[in-house]
Amino acid sequence: MSATDTQAGANSLRSGPDGRGRFGIFGGRFVAETLMPLLLELDGAYKAAQADPEFRRELDYYLKDYVGRPSPLWFARRMTEQLGGAKIYMKREELNHTGSHKLNNVMGQILLARRMGRTRIVAETGAGQHGVATATVCALFGMKCAIYMGATDVERQKPNVFRMRLLGAEVVPVTAGAGTLKDAMNEAMRDWVTNVHDTYFLVGTVAGPHPYPQMVRDFQSIIGVETKEQIMAAEGRLPDTIVAAIGGGSNAMGIFHPFLDDPEVRLIGVEAAGCGLDSGRTAASIERGKPGVLHGNRTYLLQDEDGQITEAHSISAGLDYPGVGPEHSWLSDIGRAEYVGATDEEALDAFQLCTRTEGIIPALESAHAIAYAAKIAPEMGRDKIIVINISGRGDKDIFTVAEHLGVKL
Amino acid sequence: MSRIARRFATLRQQGRGALIPYVEACDPDYDTSLAILRGMPGAGADLIEVGVPFSDPSADGPTIQKAALRGLRGGSSMKRVLEMVAAFRAGDDETPIILMGYTNPIEAYGPERFCVDAKAVGVDGLIVVDMPPEEADLLAGPAAAAGLDIIRLVAPTTPDDRLPVVFNGASGFVYYVSITGVTGTRTASTDELAHALPRLRRATDLPIAIGFGIRTPELAANAVRAADAAVVASALLNTLEGTLDPDGRATARTVPAVLEQLRGLADAVHAVSKTGSK
Ligand SMILES: Cc1ncc(COP(=O)(O)O)c(C=O)c1O
């Protein structure tokens, strides 16, 4: 990341959060007092790391030689031709080591945890991609690792569970609630509060209490920074539209953030509409939720009249979360980014479209972004440019997809 | 003087410590939890914490998590919790009631309306687990206007230089979370308490309650030797859970079993003489 990309002026949309960790009314630090001193320490440690060129050098080294950055920006010629509209580019985050964008953030945070002298890592995971990324760096640096994963997700993401165990992590299935990401997050927070003396909580998305939303966004912003350079090199101009899937919102925030001050670039976050936005079985927190407080921050949440959090639904384990990062809630309220939905069915179709036209098997999460891009591309002129963030590869999803296609593996 | 301040002043005069039991609203149903609540003062409760069930109690251990779920299944809502307090107040105007819960149900109800309504039904204080001083402005104004005490949590991880931040705006009493962890798990040792209390006393004149991990009469007595009050939650909820039928419904044993255990805890707490101590 170059210095100019991290410096945002007073009128910039990139200057948030404020000192309290707020993006407008969203964000904050709604945690038990036991954790507050740790968050303040983390905030201080992160600021110190940001100011230390050695930290940047170390991170750049690992991003290049271990993660495999930069990731390519691929012109999807056959998909573009088939859809017959805007030129489609794909930011290939699925080519990162461990197969998703998650490692960008995990690498940043593990280096920070090491600077802070922590020896044990806990993390929550939904699809298992964040868990795999975390288990991977724990193996790399020889640290203890406990991954909390909803029991439902353990079942539907078996390959990733095995991968984490191979890497030496303890995978703890969480049976509370519906056994998905929200419950795993609760349990990871409980572990952290119990083991504060040696444990670092490695949050996998742009949610949680401040400074996590900011920190994870900063580490993921490499996606957008590279995209900007690559599209300038390829097309000599910025894209018209950027589309990314929204679970907690980290891959989207990462690609959006460097473009926030370029109003000509339309930013579209695609939430999981599940069985349909109005089906009651959705994970579309911004489109169907209300502001509230969960997991340490104020944001849009799926909840009932009484403020009880409701279960999310999505075919994609990584999007199956009733909340969303607070910065997205703010970007939605101020109108800088748009948030739309793609259903389970649409994602499955897009999964196959991408596989057949580009030879890229995308994660079901990313397939939501592809689905929406495929919807709008034909309506856009051939001189227009869309960038889709391919946040991960779909190997982990082949069992789920096979089941939906009625194929026995 | 608030009910909470009055109660602690009386206890101090009598040279006694306080027992603060916890009951989860609508666990496993409204009538049972109200019967427990009504029976608590007679069984020796000096103040009472009423838990407001929340779907995602991330600072609580398995026992309170299950109680919260039972409460939600038992029909709990903020409105129902307030009705329960009103029903209790009709027969008891003296025992302080503290609502304990998480931010979101309060935010959903509307913080101002919540404080007004809570005060009106006879709530005395609020403990909001996930609202540290940094986020307290959401409730500070409305609670002060309504005359509700805001009870602050303080933890072993809270450094000395942060204590003034935590106690700024605190009233009623202070709740010392005696372990790093979730509710109903580990218990603080006598040594840990002996180290922690003087540190807190130097920073506040408010009474100090100790909670988390107090499960026996002995531990409760230990806690009031060091502090002014002992909070017992998970131990009572475990007992309640043990009396439920296979479908999770209350039985004839439920209310008496909880109150009997409470009596044992209260007797131990009240046997500790605090005369001469602060
Ligand atoms: C490949 C992939 N994309 C997207 C997501 C959603 O997370 P986020 O919205 O934080 O990018 C996940 C989460 O597991 C994922 O694995």
Side-chain angles (χ1 to χ4, degrees), chain A residues 100-102 127 129 205 245-251 318-319 363 365-366 391-392:
Chain A
S100 81
H101 69 293
K102 295 288 180 185
Q129 291 303 98
T205 190
I246 306 273
S250 68
N251 85 85
L319 306 184
E365 290 80 13
S366 322
S391 54

Side-chain angles (χ1 to χ4, degrees), chain A residues 22 29 190 293 298 308, chain B residues 55-56 60 104 107 135 157:
Chain A
R22 300 276 181 108
R29 278 178 292 220
R190 292 182 187 118
V293 173
R298 181 180 290 109
Q308 307 297 339
Chain B
S55 54
D56 293 80
D60 285 298
N104 202 50
E107 182 146 306
E135 302 293 350
T157 51

Side-chain angles (χ1 to χ4, degrees), chain B residues 85-98:
Chain B
V85 176
F88 171 83
R89 272 282 167 258
D92 183 322
D93 199 31
E94 291 300 316
T95 311
I97 296 279
I98 297 113

Side-chain angles (χ1 to χ4, degrees), chain B residues 37 131-132 179 239:
Chain B
L37 179 59
M131 189 182 286
I179 54 150
T239 299

Side-chain angles (χ1 to χ4, degrees), chain A residues 156 243-247 251 268-276 281-284 287 313-320 340-352 354 362-375 388-392 396-397:
Chain A
R156 61 178 161 173
V243 186
I246 306 273
N251 85 85
I268 303 179
V270 186
E271 296 190 298
C275 302
R281 285 175 57 71
T282 148
E287 291 153 283
H313 167 82
S314 169
I315 189 175
S316 140
L319 306 184
D320 206 347
V340 300
T343 64
D344 291 351
E345 287 304 322
E346 290 167 334
L348 280 166
D349 290 347
F351 179 95
Q352 294 169 85
C354 184
L364 273 176
E365 290 80 13
S366 322
H368 286 72
I370 300 167
Y372 195 77
K375 206 180 258 182
I388 308 173
N389 198 13
I390 306 298
S391 54
K396 68 186 176 61
D397 294 312

